[in-house]
Amino acid sequence: RRSRSPPAAAPATSPDGRDMVGACLTFCPAAEIDERVRFKELDAHEKPPGWETMDDGAVAEAARSWACKKYKRSDAGSVQNVPAIVRPPAVLLKCFEHLRTHVVETGGRDAKQQAMSRYLFLWDRFRAIRKDFILQNFTTGGRVAREVVVVFEGMARYFVGIERELSGHKEWREGIAHGKHNAESLSETLSALVAFYDMARSRGARDVLANEAEFTQYWLIYFLDQERGAEAGRFLARIALESPALDASDEIRRAAAVRKARDENNWAAFFRVARNSPYLARCLMVAQYADGVRDGALLVMGRAQSRGEAYPAADLAEALGLDDAAAARVRAVAAGYSIDGDGDVRFVKDDSLDEETFDAAAFGEGRRVAPLFNSGESLGAAVRGDSKAEAAAFERRRAEADEGGGVGDAIVEAS
């Protein structure tokens, strides 16, 4: 993970030395739309309604409200720092809102297999948006404005939430490893936001600081392992010294609690904090650290648990933030432990169990486990920053936990 703001493209200046101001007032330059229509390169997510019955001219005209500029590298054969093809901040904000409404928030209606194509489309278009901002010197040490902060906040929320949606996809961690690209985008976007907040505060532009606590929290959680935790520790110390109100916020206290739980190898505290966290903070904790915390917890349990005592699989699932008892059995077998005839875990080594052929669901469903996530929580609401929708989803999750007789108290317990 690279703790730095997004660089790469150098800001462009006009002949009089001032920062370049984009002059493209559409989501995509007209010449690019015409070229992509001609070569049949419009993405499925930006084709206008009814395009199947249109000729190329009609598609190109209708696509002016739907197509978004693709990312292109600046090289000898492709000059990108030309005002006519660079979108100004107000247009970039509208473009992001268009993508959020018509692609991110409609994702739940698509088949699951469309999730990756949707992500790849958004990842590219978000890169193009970032580049247009950078070309106009909206970067570390440069300019800062409400539009760039709002867009970067929305993109960061998407990069955090998509980790959970695609974590099980075969191309996310293996082969092409799109997850690695997402991690780089998230790193750059969060670091840029932290820099923007610092710049805004020093310049008295406090109107862009409304969500500083939320995104500083994400930065702290994401970079917990940077320099073995030293970088997050230094940042927390600076926040406490320079910004007491920010330091006292629930978000920064939450990030500090996650750091403390991991420093102390306290898996119970880690999952207690996770269960009591808003959706995106929970997504980030689980995506970045849950697997390692679970492995450490099983190792500790194997040493501490009575060898002859059965540990209910459903209880283990809740303790480790897993979806159900079957998932807990799979974890236990992977760690080398045994499963008794009732489907419960025994912390004794059993080399006879084959991890690949073991049927974790063969013991019946058992009691219901209160999950870390529920179906009422959505990436679309999270990217929009819809606090009311998130609060309603949180209450549903707590009610489900209470009905299941599980960890309802743990969900609402203060971290």
Side-chain angles (χ1 to χ4, degrees):
R1 294 171 198 165
R2 299 167 298 168
S3 172
R4 64 186 191 194
S5 57
T13 55
S14 61
D16 60 6
R18 291 181 298 181
D19 294 319
M20 191 242 288
V21 177
C24 178
L25 301 183
T26 55
F27 298 158
C28 185
E32 180 182 326
I33 293 177
D34 292 340
E35 178 181 331
R36 287 167 56 199
V37 168
R38 187 165 63 253
F39 290 102
K40 311 299 182 186
E41 292 180 351
L42 277 185
D43 191 278
H45 299 290
E46 58 187 355
K47 290 178 178 177
W51 65 272
E52 301 93 337
T53 62
M54 301 177 187
D55 59 27
D56 283 358
V59 170
E61 185 60 34
R64 299 193 195 288
S65 300
W66 289 86
C68 298
K69 181 180 175 182
K70 292 180 69 173
Y71 175 80
K72 291 183 180 178
R73 294 182 182 276
S74 296
D75 54 39
S78 175
V79 178
Q80 300 300 309
N81 59 349
V82 177
I85 62 172
V86 174
R87 299 158 293 179
V91 175
L92 290 169
L93 175 58
K94 289 181 180 178
C95 182
F96 171 77
E97 291 173 340
H98 169 86
L99 291 170
R100 183 187 64 198
T101 300
H102 295 286
V103 183
V104 176
E105 294 180 4
T106 60
R109 302 172 208 160
D110 294 341
K112 184 67 176 177
Q113 58 265 31
Q114 294 298 316
M116 181 59 77
S117 69
R118 201 164 52 242
Y119 166 74
L120 293 175
F121 171 76
L122 288 166
W123 179 73
D124 177 88
R125 299 318 189 261
F126 287 170
R127 287 182 82 194
I129 288 174
R130 280 205 311 270
K131 183 168 183 176
D132 275 7
F133 272 122
I134 293 169
L135 286 170
Q136 297 170 86
N137 200 20
F138 289 97
T139 186
T140 305
R143 305 164 69 192
V144 65
R146 185 188 71 86
E147 292 91 344
V148 66
V149 172
V150 169
V151 171
F152 273 56
E153 287 175 345
M155 292 191 298
R157 287 180 178 128
Y158 177 77
F159 292 138
V160 168
I162 199 63
E163 282 277 351
R164 174 173 175 263
E165 183 171 334
L166 290 179
S167 61
H169 196 286
K170 63 182 180 180
E171 293 180 5
W172 195 245
R173 298 296 179 200
E174 302 173 6
I176 302 173
H178 296 303
K180 179 176 180 293
H181 299 151
N182 191 71
E184 292 171 353
S185 295
L186 177 58
S187 170
E188 293 173 351
T189 306
L190 289 177
S191 294
L193 279 168
V194 169
F196 287 143
Y197 295 141
D198 281 347
M199 291 159 54
R201 185 179 294 101
S202 68
R203 300 172 189 179
R206 305 195 68 85
D207 60 317
V208 304
L209 298 176
N211 297 317
E212 182 183 17
E214 177 189 352
F215 291 92
T216 302
Q217 162 197 227
Y218 299 151
W219 189 99
L220 287 164
I221 294 173
Y222 186 75
F223 287 109
L224 279 180
D225 287 344
Q226 190 82 15
E227 297 180 11
R228 297 185 177 181
E231 188 166 5
R234 287 194 296 268
F235 195 13
L236 280 168
R238 181 163 73 88
I239 291 171
L241 181 65
E242 299 176 0
S243 306
L246 179 62
D247 182 58
S249 67
D250 290 343
E251 292 86 350
I252 303 306
R253 293 299 88 210
R254 180 181 300 115
V258 174
R259 180 172 182 257
K260 183 173 186 288
R262 295 195 69 244
D263 285 349
E264 297 175 353
N265 295 317
N266 188 336
W267 54 270
F270 176 86
F271 285 110
R272 183 169 63 249
V273 175
R275 286 189 180 278
N276 197 43
S277 296
Y279 176 70
L280 287 179
R282 212 176 330 131
C283 284
L284 192 56
M285 291 178 216
V286 171
Q288 297 301 318
Y289 308 115
D291 281 343
V293 172
R294 287 163 180 153
D295 290 343
L298 286 168
L299 186 63
V300 171
M301 289 178 173
R303 293 171 179 166
Q305 194 75 11
S306 172
R307 300 271 174 178
E309 184 179 351
Y311 197 110
D315 291 354
L316 182 61
E318 285 183 347
L320 300 184
L322 296 167
D323 289 340
D324 52 35
R329 295 183 192 112
V330 169
R331 282 272 175 179
V333 171
Y337 300 126
S338 64
I339 307 297
D340 66 19
D342 294 323
D344 292 328
V345 177
R346 293 185 182 271
F347 290 95
V348 293
K349 294 295 180 180
D350 187 350
D351 296 330
S352 66
L353 280 177
D354 184 342
E355 186 179 345
E356 293 187 1
T357 60
F358 173 67
D359 184 2
F363 303 91
E365 293 186 6
R367 76 168 177 82
R368 188 166 169 270
V369 173
L372 275 177
F373 300 94
N374 71 21
S375 58
E377 296 171 306
S378 76
L379 180 58
V383 172
R384 185 175 285 275
D386 191 339
S387 58
K388 290 183 178 179
E390 181 168 280
F394 184 84
E395 290 302 320
R396 284 194 296 271
R397 188 163 60 87
R398 181 170 62 179
E400 288 179 2
D402 290 340
E403 289 174 6
V407 294
D409 293 338
I411 291 178
V412 295
E413 184 177 343
S415 61

